[in-house]
Amino acid sequence: MGRIWTMTAADLKQRIRDRSVIIFAIVVPLALMGILNLIIGGAEEGTELGDMTVAASVPQGDASADGVLSALEGIEGLSITVNQVDEDRARADARDGTATVGLLIPEGFGAGLSSGEGCDVTVIEGDGAGLEGQVLTSVLTGIVDRFAAATVATQAAGALGVPAADLQDIAQDVTTAAPSISLTDGQASDEQLSDSGALVAGQAGLFLLFTVGFGVLSLNAERDQGTLPRLLSMPMRPSAVLISKGLVSFLLGIVATTILLVAGGLMFDVNFGSLPAVALLVLSVVTAATSLMFVIARVAKTAEQANIAQSIIAVTLGVAGGAFFPLAASGLLGRLLDLNPVAAFIRGLGITSGGGGVADIAGPVLIMFGFAVVVGVISRLVPDRGTSL
Amino acid sequence: MRPVAAVAWAELLRFLRDRSNIFFVFVFPMLLVFVLGSTFGGAGTQGGVRVVGESGALRDALVAQLESQDLSVRMADEDEALEQVSRGRAAAGLILPDGVEEAYARGDRIELEIVPTSGAAGLAMRQQVATAVETLQLDRAALGALTQRGIEAPAAEAALDAARGRVTPSRVTVRDVDDVAQAFSGVGQFEVGATSQLLLFVFLTSLAGSSTLIQARREGVIARSFSAPVRSGQVLLGQTTGRFAIAMFQGLYIMIATTLIFDVDWGDPLLAVLILACFGAVAAGAAMLLGSLVDNEAAASGIGVGLGLVLAGLGGGMAPLEIFSDTLRTVAHITPHAWAYDAFADIQRRGGGMIDILPQLGVLLAMAAVVLAAGTWSLRRSVERSL
Amino acid sequence: MAGDEDQVGDTRGAVDDVLVVDGLSRRFGELRAVDEVSFRIAPGETYGLLGPNGAGKTTTISMVAGLIRADAGTVRVAGQRMSPSHPQPKRHIGLVPQDLAIYPELSARENLVFFGRLQGMGGADLKGRVQEVLELIGLADRAKDKSKNFSGGMKRRLNIGIGLLHEPHLLILDEPTVGVDPQSRNSILESVERLSTAGMAVLYTTHYMEEAERLCDRIGIIDTGRIQAEGTRDELIRLTGGVDQIRLAGTGDLTHAIESLRELPAVEQVDHDGLALRLTVHGAPTAVAEIVTRATGAGMSLADVEITRPDLESVFLQLTGKALRD
């Protein structure tokens, strides 16, 4: 054990001295997180629906139009403010984002409804209307549809000879009908990271695949530069060299990932949740990533080949795992993508940030350790071209 | 000019013979354009709703209504729906309990369960589904209003159907005046992704290539070129031209490949190549500067890749500049990427011509002049020091 | 485990030999890289493996140092069987690989301490020994500098110093002078000579004939994986019929000088070609002093003495039909 530690310590000392590990494992990912966070920050959607403002241009004395507005204000669970303005102002407010949307109800809206000739309402979505804009559009559509349904009912009733005096009541009945279908709210466990959280987790996962290379893949470099024969001539088992390289990868991975999660969390105000659970996730993803390096180290003939193979695998797993943007695949492809340790890591952090503990992350942790075992076995089976003399 | 061409050609050959470049230069950019294009132009599966329940009139009506609201709807079993909602892959799950179809057919009051995902997307989807359900029951409300007044149901339904035929329904039309949405209206699925990747990779490939400059310096290739009967200026020019050739090669490859594979419209080809050339000149100069300032190849490729990614991220090489906040957009224009992005946007989407992109080209050329001068000066100094 | 018990039948002082290599073979696919190689090295002896590039020298050394497994045959170091999975016997060897097997980011002292720890050394013992070696290789004043900033010669010296650190019974040097400037080369050869004098057994591979002649007590000529011939330099040369010659030019009583010289045991034959005396001699370098004394004592006044020795180059050419360096 003393010799393994000696080799591990010497390796760590050298990696820190040549600074490349610091650049690749810490500086670049933090810089990228910063930049990408700035970008999504500009477009970020909050965790709650905000207050909505409707700049409405409504014809004077049109009861139906007034009905639309009062229906709008009466929607439960949403905070909607209606400002009555003229048409130009409604357009301008929508365009510059003063109002969430602009609403233009034309002259003759009520008459059109009652005559059955129809009269279209216009919704203007402007800068940053976002989700709130979509919600308002959908609500307004629902209201107008209701008025249209009332028109159909009164027309049908008229045709059937219902007295004109009752028609008003029929319209009233339709527009205010008690719902025959109601919605109850169910709850699903929250397993999602915020946008910033996903960014931090993704970049940490992606760059981990580079960081762990600084341990195991130095085997190929040592063979190229000639220090491997000397190490193998020392009075110790050859496996000691492999173990120490694995240990270097593992330690660098743990330290770098921890720094990235902590620094990223502080910089972008992300809380990843339960500390023991997050620690377990870091441990598992670093194990999975390190196991992959042993395959590369054995298959690659030179240090250069090893670095290329590593970069390719890192960016492929990183992108497929959702390091830059989530890939929303379902079915078989979705299951396949789930087996990627980067994806499992991000998912696990989603569960912990949603309040999950160690027991809740069993799935992702098993995927990562399973990955490590399978890849570890593969690394024993592939022809050894890179780490033997 | 012949020595310059010889050095430049040798640099391009070196680049092409390096097998490590096959993936990063040829395959990887296409992969990213595809993935980005699929998420950017796709149906936004993330906002979708998963409907759970046996098939029947209610489910069909709900799905039709939801789809008419421009929502992406997919069937799922309950576990899958809940998992996708938990993971944010679906905005909500709509669960139709067992027996609800019969109850609906009988006209009974029914209850559906909605499971929104956490955050605003879930709240928004909940509201959309509520609207859909409400719209769905309007027909029932109309029927109810008539039958309440003593009209037999079959007669009432016939009269309602007839009335629907007569009445022109009032509709809501949506006018989108959002700058971002307008900027991208009529843009192909892959166009924006292709521009971003072009900028990202041209710069990244150039910067990462600075390590070969260091190698050449260390192995004395540059010193030897100085000893050949050519002026030192020609050697430096050759090196610069070599970097530039690599940048142009990468850029042209992405332009041609995305045109052929993804049918990307780059606008006027001559103007597009002109923008690429100006941008490539900046990239070549930056590579010269990096290759002469840093002595260690590993550090140079580390800094090169890091800087290449960060500048690209800031300058619209990862996400469209249009979604940036105003301040950030201003900041973004310290990068050459942002200027080239604007120029491409002008000719691709805004139908701009030579006159429209002159300012951007001017800025790019000025940037190129500065980094090329600094890079050449610094390289000359480092070679002279080592001689 | 063939060959495990065959120490009894040895003819040369087997018990004392630091290294006993017996019937060592190794294939790489179809290529027989090393084919039934056997040799021994006694304490204080320097044994040279002389052969061209690709002859099997490095593969032999890799098996001797326990880096790779042998397909057949055994290696014993200080009586212990060497194999990649047996760490114990490796304590007795110090390997100096052909490449510069040092860590550029570590200082000279850090490199020495690192490999010393791997050898199982520690504490004051390691500290003291590191200082000794630093002085021995002349890097004591640069001990704290990163080795990447060293000159080529300094790196070579550090490379050898690491092999000496734990005072092994057997020092293995694999082509230590390849690509080294003449001055550094001489200093390397001198230090090997010093070590040998101090009682260390040395296994030295080279394709430089001059180095083998200068350093090695015995030489194995290796080509296409086989030891083609083995012995002292003189034995090898005699094997191929070559002899040393000394030419004495001068005036005076030549007849008396011829008679006197013929009495010497090292002198086989003396001819007179009119201008000078031509002697056929065993071991010309050691015998020349006495020959000169005798000749002048017998009344000859010497104008010129010239020694001509057949070299290993010609031996190699004769044994393998090809030149040593190509």
Side-chain angles (χ1 to χ4, degrees), chain B residues 36 63 69 81 117 184 196 202 230 239 246 250 263 275 281 297-298 305 319 327 331:
Chain B
L36 283 178
V63 170
Q69 287 171 230
T117 189
F184 293 128
S196 291
V202 166
V230 291
Q239 281 293 330
I246 291 169
Q250 172 77 82
D263 199 21
I275 300 170
E297 285 160 70
V305 171
T327 331
V331 176

Side-chain angles (χ1 to χ4, degrees), chain A residues 3 6-7 10-11 13-14 17-18 222-227 229-238 389, chain C residues 67 84-85 87 90-91 95-97 99-103 105-106 110 114-115 117-120 159 162-163:
Chain A
R3 291 189 171 88
T6 300
M7 285 188 279
D11 255 15
K13 192 191 272 177
Q14 293 176 72
R17 277 192 191 164
D18 75 12
E222 293 221 24
R223 194 178 76 149
D224 289 1
Q225 82 190 37
T227 38
R230 175 161 260 157
L231 287 179
L232 293 177
S233 79
M234 296 290 140
M236 57 189 183
R237 295 191 164 277
L389 292 173
Chain C
L67 308 183
S85 49
K90 292 183 182 175
R91 283 178 199 285
L95 174 66
V96 180
D99 297 313
L100 283 171
I102 55 179
Y103 292 106
E105 289 289 336
L106 298 184
E110 284 169 330
F114 171 70
F115 287 106
R117 290 223 176 99
L118 294 189
Q119 287 290 359
N159 196 33
I162 294 169

Side-chain angles (χ1 to χ4, degrees), chain B residues 182-198:
Chain B
Q182 279 196 334
F184 293 128
S185 65
V187 174
Q189 182 174 0
F190 295 105
E191 245 99 279
V192 178
T195 312
S196 291
Q197 297 315 310
L198 176 89

Side-chain angles (χ1 to χ4, degrees), chain C residues 222-234:
Chain C
I222 185 168
D223 188 45
T224 60
R226 297 189 77 103
I227 301 249
Q228 307 289 340
E230 187 196 70
T232 63
R233 179 200 162 275
D234 288 347

Side-chain angles (χ1 to χ4, degrees), chain A residues 84-110:
Chain A
Q84 291 208 33
V85 292
D86 64 31
E87 188 178 331
D88 291 340
R89 182 68 193 279
R91 288 181 193 279
D93 282 1
R95 186 181 296 275
D96 66 16
T98 311
T100 318
V101 297
L103 172 65
L104 307 182
I105 301 181
E107 289 289 345
F109 173 71

Side-chain angles (χ1 to χ4, degrees), chain A residues 116 121 123 125 184 186 192 330, chain B residues 74 112 114 117 168 173 175 177:
Chain A
V121 168
V123 172
E125 284 186 6
T184 57
Q192 290 174 70
S330 53
Chain B
R74 225 184 283 162
L112 308 180
I114 174 133
T117 189
T168 311
T173 55
R175 291 263 311 280
V177 294

